[in-house]
Amino acid sequence: MNSQTAFANAVLNPELPCPGGLTTWNGSDPATRFAVYRNNVMVSLIDALADTYPVVQELVGEEFFRAMARVFAQANPPRSRVMAYYGNNFADFLAAFPPATSVPYLADIARLEMARVRAYHAADVPPIQPETLQVALTRPEQLMALRLVLHPSVQVINSAFSVFSIWAAHQGVLCISSVDPEQAQTVLVFRNSLDVDTLEIAVGVSKFISGLQSGLTLFDAAGAASRADPAFDLSHALALLLRLQLISHLTSTDEHHEHTH
């Protein structure tokens, strides 16, 4: 183990001793200075998680959240200098963290909050002009090969719990007492200009969007959506994506045809 790895491990694990070979500029005790540094690093990581997951913290309380975040941070040091995405696997940690099992929807709330962070930092891509899609839909020879490329910020979360309503209640939009957490909900997260939006959507629309993101053609994605939800309406789904300006451009499985904005 090299000295940098030993230092990093000691910073995150209070049970490890102060690494050897440390000196201070003013002759003070290196172990004391290191303990202060170690505490500051840990507090910074916990604060970063609290900033990303405010609703998770509200659901379990600040004291429990910070204790839980400390356990996470000790096992998950930052992998990048970009701290915006720190804790992107926090939801998986929560799902497997026994003390958190009393709040079964906690992991999905964390997924929703991280999706909002990812949407905020996603690339900025201009939307397609509605006329471009309308023209493409009138060309029967190209319809079967048509693909819709969505804005990079678009994410879908499928949950067995009412994650949208729980999240919205903590934004002051709904009264928490009116929320039944056992109702499954599907959530769309995206960025509109500089604002991140969160909407509840139907299962069919969710399946349609996920199909498009995985590279399915328009018709294959619509077929998958209809199988998942017989009430799925393709025209309504396209109108929603156009209204929210979430279609960035069109492509085709036929390499000779490509439509851009």
Side-chain angles (χ1 to χ4, degrees):
M1 183 185 299
N2 62 37
S3 58
Q4 286 184 330
T5 302
F7 184 87
N9 288 342
V11 164
L12 292 171
N13 190 343
E15 296 179 0
L16 293 178
C18 172
L22 296 185
T23 59
T24 58
W25 67 273
N26 61 357
S28 61
D29 180 17
T32 301
R33 295 291 297 271
F34 183 77
V36 172
Y37 177 75
R38 174 158 54 193
N39 183 66
N40 289 344
V41 169
M42 185 56 64
V43 168
S44 295
L45 294 179
I46 294 171
D47 287 347
L49 291 168
D51 287 343
T52 298
Y53 299 103
V55 176
V56 171
Q57 178 169 273
E58 289 176 18
L59 286 168
V60 299
E62 182 177 357
E63 183 178 356
F64 183 89
F65 179 89
R66 295 188 74 83
M68 183 169 61
R70 181 178 292 273
V71 174
F72 173 85
Q74 286 173 348
N76 296 270
R79 305 289 181 187
S80 165
R81 294 179 182 177
V82 181
M83 289 299 291
Y85 299 114
Y86 179 64
N88 61 356
N89 57 334
F90 193 50
D92 293 337
F93 166 82
L94 294 177
F97 188 60
T101 54
S102 61
V103 188
Y105 45 81
L106 201 62
D108 282 353
I109 292 292
R111 290 187 179 96
L112 173 55
E113 295 200 282
M114 176 49 69
R116 288 179 53 82
V117 171
R118 289 197 187 101
Y120 180 79
H121 292 283
D124 195 15
V125 178
I128 197 174
Q129 294 300 316
E131 298 78 18
T132 305
L133 178 59
Q134 291 167 3
V135 169
L137 294 176
T138 62
R139 295 173 175 167
E141 75 280 3
Q142 295 178 18
L143 271 180
M144 296 303 292
L146 189 63
R147 284 182 173 148
L148 275 60
V149 179
L150 303 183
H151 191 278
S153 68
V154 173
Q155 296 158 90
V156 170
I157 297 167
N158 297 291
S159 176
F161 304 99
S162 54
V163 289
F164 173 77
S165 296
I166 294 168
W167 177 84
H170 284 268
Q171 314 310 310
V173 178
L174 294 175
C175 178
I176 191 66
S177 61
S178 67
V179 176
D180 176 5
E182 299 295 329
Q183 294 294 317
Q185 286 185 325
T186 303
V187 186
L188 174 66
V189 177
F190 62 97
R191 192 181 72 243
N192 186 347
S193 185
L194 296 178
D195 298 321
V196 176
D197 282 337
T198 307
L199 297 175
E200 183 182 3
I201 56 175
V203 171
V205 176
S206 159
K207 193 74 174 179
F208 179 62
I209 290 173
S210 297
L212 294 176
Q213 289 181 315
S214 68
L216 294 182
T217 64
L218 173 66
F219 274 104
D220 286 344
S226 295
R227 289 190 294 274
D229 179 6
F232 174 73
D233 185 311
L234 176 58
S235 61
H236 287 174
L238 290 175
L240 175 69
L241 294 177
L242 283 172
R243 178 170 61 82
L244 299 178
Q245 298 187 317
L246 299 183
I247 303 173
S248 60
H249 63 280
L250 310 178
T251 64
S252 172
T253 52
D254 182 345
E255 294 180 354
H256 298 292
H257 297 291
E258 180 164 333
H259 313 274
T260 65
H261 56 268

